[in-house]
Structures are given as structure tokens and as C-alpha cells.
Amino acid sequence: MVRAPCCEKMGLKKGPWTTEEDQILISYIQNYGHGNWRALPKHAGLLRCGKSCRLRWINYLRPDIKRGNFTREEEDAIINLHEMLGNRWSAIAARLPGRTDNEIKNVWHTHLKKRLLKHNNTTSPTCSTSNLTSRYAEPGDVNFESPTSHASMSPQPSSSDDFSSVTEASAATGQNMIKDEKIELDATFLEIDDSFWSEALSADNSGDNQLEFLEGTNDQAQLQLLLPSNIDDGMDFWYDLFIKAGYGDTPELPEF
DNA sequence: AAAGCAACCAACCGCTTTCTG
DNA sequence: CCAGAAAGCGGTTGGTTGCTT
């Protein structure tokens, strides 16, 4: 099958959007929604391809977009989430309300990657990335320490270049790397409410995930996950569950 | 003042995934 | 189940801005 490029049609405009185009797009979507992106520009009277309209809306015009610089907390969350999810920018963005995947990707490439490399240069070669993210995690953060950081499944970098290559490789193969691994979430005791356990039990009954107590009670527990082979959905499930449980609230954090 | 450079970010490209008939 | 269309996604590019020399 040969697919025509989306902007192949002559006469379709490319490049930066004007405020007039923005207004047309905003008012059209406010009135009619965006059920069909490809048809939208034609109906709205825009000389753009649907793809361009969609991108403009998602990355810039949506009313729930949070403009302005990223806070330290948001940057920390990105670092932690990237360690866990790799370059899955949309998955990271889904956990940072008001931020887009494009924005997060840009921040990562322009700021955070350098910050990590710089950090790595100033610490010992055996310093793990989990230690690094622990430093950034603070009470109240939306982030939490990645399960993968406890699993000792990736080689530790010995230089900044090595670190870069390791993180890139982890991003590419991250899901495979943690399949069928037993992971201890041992950073802290979780404070857990009833809804957590009902959802966890529900997942367990389905046979997709397994959760074991290591220590603790029903409302404060140290947990161990036995991750399934088909981990893609499972990780998101557990991730959301742990966020709800406030797993990021680590009262005592290492300093360096 | 101007040239060079780096940083930033909006937008594009092309591949993959999902949806639909 | 299959093919084509549409949407989603991540990588990359190129224009703009601001800083340095």
C-alpha cells in the first residue's frame, strides 16, 4: 500500500501558525469538536493538513495546556518517569497534567539529559540512576522511584557516554528488560487505602499481575511485584495504582 | 555594531498502531 | 480476516532569540 504524504496536496500551508489560523481552529473546535482531523481543515476553512491542525491543537491551543517554564518538581517527575518508561513521551505527558509530549521531549533534550550527564560526571561510576532519582524525589511529588531501579537489570555506566548509551538502550528495550522479574518496591512503606487493595485484588484475580506482601499491614505495606510477561498494560496499571497510593511520598531521602 | 554560536521550541516527517467497512 | 484510512507517536529539523566575542 502506498500512502500519500499528508501534505502532498498543493496549496496546503506549512510552517508557523498565524494568530488568525489559531483563532479559526480554536473556534471551529469549540463549536464542532475535532471528530475527524483530516476533514477538519476543509470544514474550518484552513489551508492546512489535518495532521498539522491536530498537532497545533494538541501542542499549543488546547485550553488545558499549562504554559510557562517547567517547575523543578515537574522536571524531577520527567526524569523519574523517563527512567521507568523510556522515550515514551506521550506516556510521560499523560502523567504530567497540562504538559504535552512535544514539550516534555524538548525539555528532556535541552535540559534534563544534560543535567543527568552532568550529574553523572560528578558522581562515582557505580552510582546508580535510582540513587540519582531518589535525590530528585521529594514529598508530594507525583513521581516515584522506578521499580526497574531496584531490579539491577541494567549495567551501570562507567562514563557519561556510557550512561547515555545505557539510558538510550534501556529506552528501546525497557519493557523486555523487566519482564518476568521479581521487583521489590522497598524504598518505603506505602500508605494504602481500600480502593488500592480492591483494584489490586481485582488485577490479581485476573491473573495478569501478582502482588505479594513482604511486610506490613493493609494500610501500610512493603510490596513486591511479580511482573507478567505481557507487561505493557500491567506496568501502566501498577504505576497508576502506586501513584494513587502516594508512593512518591518518601519522607526521608538521601542527600549528596 | 555585527558576526558567530548555542539554546530553545514549534512544526514537520515518516513509521506504527488503531479503527472501520 | 483483510485492506485502507485515520490517528498517534517519536525523531528530527529549521527558524528565532539571546548571549558572547
Side-chain angles (χ1 to χ4, degrees):
Chain A
M1 151 176 86
V2 178
R3 186 185 309 173
C6 98
C7 293
E8 192 179 67
K9 289 176 188 169
M10 294 300 290
L12 288 187
K13 195 175 168 189
K14 289 169 71 174
W17 281 64
T18 64
T19 51
E20 289 76 17
E21 288 176 310
D22 283 346
Q23 276 310 311
I24 292 170
L25 183 57
I26 289 169
S27 62
Y28 183 87
I29 290 176
Q30 281 173 347
N31 288 329
Y32 306 105
H34 53 72
N36 184 336
W37 284 112
R38 188 159 285 211
L40 186 150
K42 188 179 167 188
H43 293 144
L46 285 164
L47 291 174
R48 296 275 182 173
C49 70
K51 206 171 187 178
S52 180
C53 293
R54 178 186 157 271
L55 219 54
R56 183 65 179 171
W57 175 256
I58 287 174
N59 288 336
Y60 202 81
L61 299 176
R62 268 189 311 166
D64 56 329
I65 294 278
K66 194 194 291 182
R67 309 305 304 176
N69 294 336
F70 279 62
T71 64
R72 180 76 178 188
E73 287 72 26
E74 286 175 313
E75 291 182 355
D76 295 343
I78 293 168
I79 290 169
N80 283 325
L81 290 165
H82 185 271
E83 184 183 0
M84 175 179 166
L85 300 168
N87 292 4
R88 294 167 61 196
W89 306 116
S90 61
I92 294 172
R95 292 172 173 87
L96 289 172
R99 300 299 189 180
T100 68
D101 55 351
N102 204 34
E103 203 176 10
I104 289 167
K105 185 170 55 181
N106 283 335
V107 166
W108 173 260
H109 284 127
T110 56
H111 289 115
L112 303 182
K113 201 159 71 172
K114 290 171 195 167
R115 188 164 119 193
L116 283 178
L117 289 173
K118 188 177 173 185
H119 166 86
N120 191 60
N121 283 338
T122 58
T123 54
S124 73
T126 55
C127 176
S128 74
T129 54
S130 62
N131 289 339
L132 179 66
T133 53
S134 294
R135 161 64 181 84
Y136 291 130
E138 292 180 32
D141 278 0
V142 297
N143 51 343
F144 71 99
E145 193 162 1
S146 161
T148 60
S149 64
H150 293 283
S152 301
M153 285 172 288
S154 60
Q156 294 306 320
S158 57
S159 70
S160 60
D161 287 341
D162 288 347
F163 175 80
S164 176
S165 63
V166 165
T167 51
E168 293 296 322
S170 300
T173 61
Q175 289 170 354
N176 289 335
M177 291 171 68
I178 56 179
K179 282 181 179 178
D180 295 323
E181 287 281 351
K182 182 179 284 191
I183 296 172
E184 290 182 21
L185 301 166
D186 58 0
T188 183
F189 279 76
L190 302 171
E191 293 195 14
I192 289 164
D193 61 23
D194 289 340
S195 67
F196 177 93
W197 288 115
S198 60
E199 288 189 55
L201 282 172
S202 163
D204 251 350
N205 290 338
S206 75
D208 291 330
N209 302 283
Q210 290 183 21
L211 185 67
E212 290 181 359
F213 278 95
L214 293 182
E215 299 178 55
T217 65
N218 263 8
D219 57 3
Q220 275 205 329
Q222 194 169 27
L223 303 172
Q224 174 172 284
L225 273 176
L226 297 174
L227 294 168
S229 296
N230 56 336
I231 198 169
D232 292 5
D233 294 332
M235 276 309 290
D236 283 344
F237 172 84
W238 288 112
Y239 183 91
D240 291 333
L241 218 50
F242 286 126
I243 288 292
K244 276 190 208 166
Y247 189 72
D249 295 343
T250 49
E252 299 277 333
L253 295 168
E255 291 287 337
F256 61 90

